[in-house]
């Protein structure tokens, strides 16, 4: 979850590293630090955000053409100056940065302390640099790369690391297992980063490191790639698919707001080349070879975390209704530890925006070990889940910088909808008339989302009502239940108001006890499907003096009469209401957070890509 960036070349490293850290700060912002190779290894680090590191460095020597930098999301050890990365070896000759968790660090630390090594931090990371130092001491003249390789063969856990040494002043070494890491290749320089966003300004030529691989970068030479088992590998150079313009705010106050407003385009981009209404064709090239496998599956199991889990819940409704295949949706973090029953004729669909979510990746590996077919849906080409799955489809949401996921969610739902439709048609579980009605309406969804963004003004007013509340309840039925959960997640993620999403009918089985005149109840109540049932649920809230905020179909009068606030969305088919209903819920969370003075793009305790379990 931490951000890593490193540079080796002829340019000043510091400006490149600082800019890279700013671009990676969504991955962690508890503390930040830089190590620059000068006459010594100069480590500059501090608790807080990257801007605080910049302030700290103003009066310091920041010269050097080789350096590593890190922005931290704390796991082991509280956020403070000592626990910030980089970490130095005891002889002060080497520095290391790390993303991941070393599971056997306590055993290693105890042994290193017995040998006289002094630890300056409470992190698991520090054992790595001291173990490298220890191995080099035992083997006089050993190359840095070999000491790192032997160190990594002794650790259990996950890592993305970069290391520099005063004894090898023209070498930068990086390695990964379970944490994303890429190597950028410039004209006469090299870059290392946990995300392409940090280096796209300088190069688009990259090598995506695979688990168990180590890159040895030497100034003025080609990179050398090998495994931790010391097997040489020929690097496979690819091109980054992001552009610098995608990383700017374009006049919006926050990335989150920009990304909310990008959804008409990101949804359309996720359909492009996959939906042809005139020819009545829906096709996902990434899964064509596995369509028969899916249709003959005993069941589909969808795994994801957070927002991706909510997208999976929506897919459960769609797949069971349209394709008539049983579907189970699991939190990836629970799936991997409860000894699940997985059959060889099961199909697992793993959903992850980053493609690096540790729990979801672990679920993928478990399902593969059991012989199941595993498909992936993610947003990042070259990501670990994209490589680990048998097949899958990319969303085309573009980079999402705001920690609270918005456009990635609707892009995931778009791809899952397309998947359900192409399978339904192939299986013959849907009439041609119904099929055409659905795909024709799907093509109109981006324009309807654009129309729904006009609710921004009313959501600002509703936000003023919610901003001082301590709790909120979100209700919905059928397709709108996962949207209630996602709306509640957005509010608590960025405004720190406690919120829960419930099936509207379940309110009577406990949550109704919470309702009083201080409780805002947000209800997704469009005039489709279970409309009359939802009206009854609203009446139950109203009779207990709850404050009702309803998401309704344009022109609705019945729900309007019993609501304190209404937010209108365009009419659409029941299956597509989530695309529209989520927009005002995202906007509502955003405006509440702004009114409360919260850091919208970097909410406390959260990071964008959860690459540790």
């Amino acid at each position: 979850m931490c951000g890593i960036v490193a540079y080796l070349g002829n340019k000043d490293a510091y400006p490149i590293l600082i800019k890279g850290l700013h671009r990676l700060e969504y991955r962690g912002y508890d503390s930040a630090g830089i190590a620059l190779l000068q006459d010594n290894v100069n480590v500059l680090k501090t608790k807080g955000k990257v801007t605080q590191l910049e302030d700290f460095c103003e009066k310091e020597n920041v010269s050097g053409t080789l350096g590593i930098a890190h922005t931290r999301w704390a796991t082991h050890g509280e956020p403070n100056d000592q626990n910030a990365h980089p970490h130095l070896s005891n002889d002060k000759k080497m520095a290391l940065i790390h993303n991941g968790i070393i599971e056997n660090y306590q055993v290693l630390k105890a042994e290193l302390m017995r040998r006289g090594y002094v630890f300056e931090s409470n992190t698991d990371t520090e054992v790595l640099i001291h173990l490298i130092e220890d191995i080099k001491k035992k083997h006089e003249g050993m190359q840095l790369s070999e000491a790192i390789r032997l160190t990594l063969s002794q650790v259990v856990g996950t890592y993305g690391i970069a290391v520099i040494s005063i004894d090898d002043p023209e070498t930068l070494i990086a390695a990964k297992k379970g944490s994303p890491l890429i190597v950028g290749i410039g004209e006469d320089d090299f870059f290392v980063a946990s995300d392409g966003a940090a280096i796209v300004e300088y190069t688009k030529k990259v090598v995506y490191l695979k688990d168990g691989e180590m890159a040895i970068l030497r100034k003025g030479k080609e990179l050398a790639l090998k495994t931790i088992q010391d097997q040489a590998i020929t690097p496979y150079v690819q091109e980054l698919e992001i552009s610098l313009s995608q990383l700017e705010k374009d006049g919006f106050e926050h990335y989150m707001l920009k990304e909310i407003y990008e959804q008409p385009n990101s949804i359309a981009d996720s359909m492009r080349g996959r939906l042809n209404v005139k020819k009545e064709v829906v096709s996902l090239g990434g899964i064509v070879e596995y369509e028969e496998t899916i249709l003959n599956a005993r069941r589909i199991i969808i795994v994801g975390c957070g927002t991706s889990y909510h997208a999976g819940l929506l897919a459960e409704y769609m797949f069971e209704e349209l394709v008539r295949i049983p579907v189970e949706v699991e939190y990836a973090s629970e799936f991997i530890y409860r000894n699940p029953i997985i059959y060889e004729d099961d199909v697992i669909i793993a959903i992850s925006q980053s493609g690096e979510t540790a729990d979801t990746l672990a679920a993928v590996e478990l399902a593969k070990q059991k012989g199941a077919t595993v498909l992936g849906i993610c947003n990042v080409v070259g990501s670990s889940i994209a490589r680990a799955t048998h097949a899958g489809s990319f969303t085309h949401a573009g980079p999402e910088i705001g920690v609270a996921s918005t456009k990635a969610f609707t892009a995931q739902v778009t791809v899952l909808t397309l998947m359900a439709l192409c399978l339904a048609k192939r299986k013959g579980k849907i009439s041609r008339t119904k099929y055409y009605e659905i795909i024709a309406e799907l093509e109109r969804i981006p324009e309807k989302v654009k129309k729904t963004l006009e609710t921004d003004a009313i959501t600002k007013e509703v936000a003023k009502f919610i901003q001082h509340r301590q709790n909120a309840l979100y209700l919905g039925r059928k397709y709108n239940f996962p949207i209630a959960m996602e709306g509640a997640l957005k509010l608590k993620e960025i405004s720190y108001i406690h919120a829960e999403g419930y099936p509207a009918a379940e309110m009577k089985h406990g949550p109704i006890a919470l309702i009083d005149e201080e409780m805002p109840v947000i209800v997704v109540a469009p005039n489709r499907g279970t409309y009359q049932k939802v009206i009854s649920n609203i009446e139950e809230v109203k009779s207990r003096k709850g404050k009702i905020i309803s998401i309704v179909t344009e022109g609705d009068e019945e729900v309007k009469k019993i609501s304190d606030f209404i937010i209108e969305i365009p009419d659409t088919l029941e299956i597509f209401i989530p695309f529209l209903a989520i927009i005002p819920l995202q906007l509502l969370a955003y405006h509440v957070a702004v009114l409360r003075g919260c850091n919208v793009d970097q909410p406390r305790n959260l990071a964008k890509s959860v690459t540790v379990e």
Side-chain angles (χ1 to χ4, degrees), residues 338-350:
R338 65 170 184 78
N339 194 20
I341 298 170
I342 304 172
Y343 301 103
E344 290 186 359
D345 54 352
D346 284 338
V347 169
I348 314 297
I349 300 176

Side-chain angles (χ1 to χ4, degrees), residues 49-120:
K49 298 183 183 296
V50 176
T51 52
Q52 290 167 269
L53 176 64
E54 284 185 280
D55 293 341
F56 179 74
C57 290
E58 273 188 1
K59 297 180 181 179
E60 301 290 335
N61 178 7
V62 291
S63 63
T65 58
L66 170 58
I68 56 178
H70 187 273
T71 181
R72 182 173 184 245
W73 187 88
T75 53
H76 295 72
E78 66 180 78
N80 58 31
D81 293 355
Q82 291 75 31
N83 291 331
H85 298 214
H87 292 290
L88 273 170
S89 57
N90 275 187
D91 63 10
K92 311 301 181 188
K93 290 184 176 182
M94 295 182 290
L96 174 146
I97 52 179
H98 169 230
N99 177 21
I101 290 179
I102 305 304
E103 295 175 14
N104 62 336
Y105 85 98
Q106 291 177 320
V107 173
L108 295 171
K109 183 175 181 177
E111 177 60 24
L112 287 163
M113 290 177 69
R114 190 184 67 79
R115 296 182 195 177
Y117 287 89
V118 177
F119 283 75
E120 302 291 338

Side-chain angles (χ1 to χ4, degrees), residues 89 113 127 194 231 296 306 375 412 493 556:
S89 57
M113 290 177 69
V127 300
S194 48
Q231 178 183 356
N296 291 320
L375 308 177
Q412 288 169 351
E493 277 183 314
D556 182 285

Side-chain angles (χ1 to χ4, degrees), residues 59-350:
K59 297 180 181 179
E60 301 290 335
N61 178 7
V62 291
S63 63
T65 58
L66 170 58
I68 56 178
H70 187 273
T71 181
R72 182 173 184 245
W73 187 88
T75 53
H76 295 72
E78 66 180 78
N80 58 31
D81 293 355
Q82 291 75 31
N83 291 331
H85 298 214
H87 292 290
L88 273 170
S89 57
N90 275 187
D91 63 10
K92 311 301 181 188
K93 290 184 176 182
M94 295 182 290
L96 174 146
I97 52 179
H98 169 230
N99 177 21
I101 290 179
I102 305 304
E103 295 175 14
N104 62 336
Y105 85 98
Q106 291 177 320
V107 173
L108 295 171
K109 183 175 181 177
E111 177 60 24
L112 287 163
M113 290 177 69
R114 190 184 67 79
R115 296 182 195 177
Y117 287 89
V118 177
F119 283 75
E120 302 291 338
S121 77
N122 301 117
T123 69
D124 57 323
T125 295
E126 199 177 354
V127 300
L128 292 174
I129 193 67
H130 296 328
L131 190 54
I132 294 168
E133 180 182 2
D134 189 63
I135 289 172
K136 278 181 66 65
K137 281 182 178 177
K138 288 178 181 175
H139 303 85
E140 187 176 348
M142 176 178 281
Q143 288 190 340
L144 176 63
S145 60
E146 182 64 8
I148 293 171
R149 188 184 73 79
L150 293 175
T151 293
L152 296 178
S153 68
Q154 296 183 41
V155 302
V156 177
T158 59
Y159 54 81
I161 64 168
V163 187
I164 58 173
S165 170
I166 196 71
D167 289 337
D168 209 343
E170 295 191 343
T171 300
L172 168 63
I173 297 176
K176 80 154 291 227
K177 179 185 177 185
S179 294
L181 213 57
I182 62 174
V183 175
I185 305 169
E187 289 187 12
D188 57 358
D189 46 12
F190 293 107
F191 308 81
V192 172
S194 48
D195 189 317
I199 62 173
V200 66
E201 182 174 345
Y202 310 103
T203 183
K204 298 198 91 173
K205 292 170 61 180
V206 298
V207 173
Y208 293 92
L209 295 188
K210 297 178 182 178
D211 280 354
E213 289 185 350
M214 181 167 65
I216 302 156
L217 313 174
R218 294 193 173 93
K219 194 171 182 177
K221 299 181 181 180
E222 291 185 3
L223 73 92
L225 203 62
K226 64 180 178 179
T227 68
I228 302 305
Q229 290 73 39
D230 207 23
Q231 178 183 356
I233 302 168
T234 302
Y236 174 51
V237 181
Q238 301 182 60
E239 186 164 319
L240 279 176
E241 294 193 355
I242 61 173
S243 64
L244 193 58
S245 63
Q246 291 176 304
L247 305 176
E248 305 301 330
K249 290 182 183 175
D250 293 342
F252 287 93
E253 186 177 355
H254 297 95
Y255 282 112
M256 182 181 178
L257 187 60
K258 176 197 174 192
E259 288 156 5
I260 290 171
Y261 271 82
E262 285 177 339
Q263 287 175 105
N265 291 332
S266 57
I267 292 169
D269 288 343
S270 292
M271 292 184 202
R272 187 166 290 114
R274 296 165 168 175
L275 173 66
N276 188 319
V277 175
K278 288 183 180 178
K279 294 183 178 179
E280 299 184 26
V281 171
V282 177
S283 177
L284 286 169
I287 66 161
V288 167
E289 293 181 14
Y290 287 86
E291 284 183 8
E292 198 65 33
T293 301
I294 302 170
L295 292 173
N296 291 320
R298 180 186 299 230
R299 61 186 171 163
I300 295 171
I301 302 173
I302 300 175
V303 294
C305 300
T307 288
S308 295
Y309 172 79
H310 297 155
L313 288 176
L314 281 169
E316 179 179 22
Y317 286 97
M318 289 188 288
F319 275 77
E320 292 198 340
E321 184 168 332
L322 298 176
V323 192
R324 305 305 296 162
I325 294 176
V327 178
E328 297 176 14
V329 186
E330 302 262 9
Y331 284 111
S333 55
E334 287 297 307
F335 182 74
I336 57 179
Y337 290 114
R338 65 170 184 78
N339 194 20
I341 298 170
I342 304 172
Y343 301 103
E344 290 186 359
D345 54 352
D346 284 338
V347 169
I348 314 297
I349 300 176

Side-chain angles (χ1 to χ4, degrees), residues 465 469 473 515-522 541-542 544-549 563-565:
F465 170 73
R469 312 290 170 164
L473 186 63
I515 293 173
D516 59 21
E517 60 273 12
E518 293 299 315
M519 173 69 83
V521 181
I522 299 92
V541 174
K542 189 172 181 64
R544 289 159 178 84
K545 299 182 180 180
K547 301 301 182 183
I548 300 160
I549 301 154
S563 300
D564 295 278
F565 300 91

